[in-house]
Each structure stands twice: as C-alpha cells, then as structure tokens.
Amino acid sequence: MEREITAITAQKRNPQRVNIYLDGEFAFGLSRFVAAWLKLGQKLSSAEIERLKDDDTHEIAFQKAMGFINYRPRSIEETRRRLGEKGFSTEVIEITLAKLIDKGWLNDLAFARQWIENRNTFRPRSNRVLAYELRLKGVADDEIAQALEDFGGDETELAFQAGQKKAQQYRYAERADFIKKVGAYLGRRGFNYGIVKPVVEQLWKTVTATESECSPDIQKME
C-alpha cells in the first residue's frame, strides 16, 4: 500500500534533519541529504519507506564517524568500536568504514605515522611502547613496522629528550638518587637498560654543568 507525503518540515532541534508526514500523520525523520529527492504529493511504497529509513541510518552512522575522526585522527578499529558503542549494526558499521577508507579519511598507515610523529615531538618513548600503543588501537603489525621505519627516531636521542624535564625535576638530588629516579622514568617509557644507562649519565652531566654555570663566582663577588 502506498502512502502520500503530505508535509516535510525542518526539525527544530536539528535543522539538518526533516520530519516526514504521510497521509497527514508524522511518519519518521530523515537527514536533508536522504530526503533531498522527496516532494509533497509523492507516494511511497512500503519498500521505498524502508529504504529511506535504511539510507538514513547509514547517513547518521557516516556523520557520527566523521565527527569522531574530525576531532582527532583515529584508527579504523577505534572508529569501528565507536560506532558499535552508538548502537549501529555490524553491517552498517562495515559499510560506513568502507566508505571512509575509500575516500581516504581512514588510513591506518597514515594514522600510525602521525601518532609516532606526535609522540616523538611531545611525549617521546621507545619504539616498543609506540608499537604497543598502536596495537591497542587495532593497527596491524605490518603498518606499525612501516610507520616506525618512516618516522621512528633514534632511541638514544628520544630517551635524552624524554628525560630532560625529569632531569630538571631532580637536578638538586644526589647523583645516586638522580640516576635511580630518572632511569626508572625512562624505563617506564619503554627504553631498555643499554640506552637508559648512558643517557642518564649524560643528563646528569648536563644538569650539573648547567647548575655550575649558574652558580655565582664567590671570588669575583668579593
């Protein structure tokens, strides 16, 4: 049985969606994109109505995903989990992901490269820890390996960079305590002992040299 569209009105809370009235009664809401081809007086079959509702569900999922990945870069698996949390079916989720991947808006290799570059700049840690973080986000091992090859830094340099702030925090500590505290911090960042030991020694030399340079020359002051 066909039903006639008797009104199409904008939703008050969301102007990007419209309310569809069939035979004088509210029937369902649709995104403006899905409803673009509808007009007053048009008659819809039951199959067409179901198809409109299905298209609207896919459009909602797509817009939810876009809002999620526009906030900051996301992996494919992160986006899949997010859509699952929003209650979308597996079919809708996979179709949405395929669309985003096809358009280049989801790309795990690009995501991994950006993740590593950002970490190296602001919160350095070992390649081992970076790989672990990316696995938690569902990135495949081959893409992690490629991203580390492209953007992974020298771990000695990264360890030194990571330890500078902590070294300043303990610059007045005794040498043994300094080495213990800063070394433990770098260990938690995933750097192995072979890297941590010489880096901590270098950091100690750096902070003690800086303190020495900043100390007043008593003889000159006299």
Side-chain angles (χ1 to χ4, degrees):
M1 186 179 92
E2 292 187 329
R3 300 184 66 185
E4 182 179 345
I5 299 176
T6 51
I8 302 175
T9 62
Q11 293 186 1
K12 293 181 179 180
R13 293 186 178 182
N14 187 349
Q16 297 305 310
R17 295 184 62 78
V18 296
N19 291 325
I20 306 298
Y21 290 79
L22 300 177
D23 300 331
E25 298 180 347
F26 170 76
F28 46 83
L30 294 175
S31 73
R32 286 187 178 275
F33 177 77
V34 174
W37 62 280
L38 300 180
K39 58 185 178 181
L40 295 180
Q42 182 177 348
K43 293 188 178 181
L44 301 173
S45 67
S46 296
E48 287 173 326
I49 290 171
E50 290 307 310
R51 186 166 62 251
L52 283 168
K53 292 179 179 179
D54 188 56
D55 289 346
D56 189 59
T57 298
H58 282 84
E59 178 64 17
I60 293 172
F62 183 79
Q63 294 302 327
K64 291 287 186 184
M66 285 298 296
F68 185 58
I69 65 179
N70 281 338
Y71 183 75
R72 70 164 175 79
R74 311 281 184 172
S75 69
I76 295 171
E77 183 58 28
E78 280 184 296
T79 310
R80 178 182 285 111
R81 293 170 187 165
R82 181 68 169 186
L83 291 175
E85 291 168 359
K86 293 295 182 181
F88 295 103
S89 69
T90 300
E91 180 185 6
V92 170
I93 291 171
E94 294 307 317
I95 290 173
T96 302
L97 293 176
K99 187 175 181 180
L100 292 167
I101 292 168
D102 183 62
K103 291 180 176 293
W105 293 332
L106 276 181
N107 183 311
D108 272 0
L109 179 56
F111 169 77
R113 285 169 171 163
Q114 189 167 356
W115 180 271
I116 292 168
E117 187 176 28
N118 182 273
R119 281 289 199 237
N120 288 348
T121 300
F122 299 106
R123 299 183 66 186
R125 56 206 57 208
S126 70
N127 289 340
R128 179 172 61 84
V129 170
L130 288 171
Y132 174 75
E133 291 176 339
L134 288 168
R135 286 191 192 99
L136 288 180
K137 295 185 177 297
V139 181
D141 284 346
D142 59 338
E143 291 175 321
I144 293 173
Q146 182 62 56
L148 285 171
E149 183 179 335
D150 295 339
F151 287 93
D154 178 272
E155 292 214 341
T156 298
E157 293 179 4
L158 290 172
F160 187 84
Q161 182 182 343
Q164 285 180 312
K165 185 175 182 180
K166 189 62 65 173
Q168 285 299 315
Q169 182 179 340
Y170 292 108
R171 65 186 182 276
Y172 298 123
E174 294 293 328
R175 181 177 180 279
D177 194 40
F178 175 95
I179 290 174
K180 179 181 178 181
K181 296 287 180 60
V182 178
Y185 173 78
L186 292 177
R188 291 193 296 274
R189 290 293 182 100
F191 297 105
N192 63 49
Y193 180 76
I195 289 175
V196 170
K197 186 175 186 300
V199 166
V200 173
E201 291 286 357
Q202 185 59 43
L203 286 167
W204 171 255
K205 291 177 183 178
T206 300
V207 296
T208 53
T210 301
E211 288 301 313
S212 177
E213 291 172 2
C214 293
S215 297
D217 189 321
I218 297 176
Q219 289 185 341
K220 289 183 179 179
M221 289 178 67
E222 291 176 346

